[in-house]
Amino acid sequence: MAKQKGITRFTCDRCNTVEYLPEGDPHIDEWREIQHITADGTQNTRLLCKSCHPTWHTFAIQQDNEFNQFMLQKDRDKEDKTNDR
Ligand SMILES: [Zn+2]
């Protein structure tokens, strides 16, 4: 078919990879929209390709772990301040 309608252009917000996919193409599922909330509470949405998404996922897990550690370290902050003197 020389002419095909219903094609979506996907562009990775991280590496700028571009892919043109027709509606219903199974490769559409490889593109992932992710959410990120900045320190000042702004929510950003980004589109990532199949190469960048796993890297982001590893990064997000690391951030979750750091956040969870932060939430558990209430008492350690007091100790650290005492040790800084
Ligand atoms: Zn990418």
Side-chain angles (χ1 to χ4, degrees), residues 12-17 31 47-53:
C12 180
D13 286 323
R14 183 167 181 252
C15 71
N16 295 317
T17 292
W31 288 84
L47 184 66
L48 296 179
C49 70
K50 66 179 177 187
S51 297
C52 291
H53 184 265

Side-chain angles (χ1 to χ4, degrees), residues 1-7 22:
M1 194 193 310
K3 217 175 187 183
Q4 190 173 356
K5 289 185 178 177
I7 293 180

Side-chain angles (χ1 to χ4, degrees), residues 11-15 31-38 42-49 52-53 56:
T11 306
C12 180
D13 286 323
R14 183 167 181 252
C15 71
W31 288 84
R32 301 290 185 83
E33 241 180 27
I34 56 114
Q35 314 284 326
H36 174 76
I37 299 174
T38 63
T42 305
Q43 183 167 324
N44 296 307
T45 302
R46 297 288 186 265
L47 184 66
L48 296 179
C49 70
C52 291
H53 184 265
W56 169 81

Side-chain angles (χ1 to χ4, degrees), residues 57-74:
H57 194 245
T58 302
F59 169 73
I61 288 171
Q62 185 185 323
Q63 282 195 324
D64 286 351
N65 288 337
E66 286 176 12
F67 177 74
N68 290 336
Q69 282 304 309
F70 164 76
M71 292 303 289
L72 293 171
Q73 282 187 342
K74 187 180 68 166

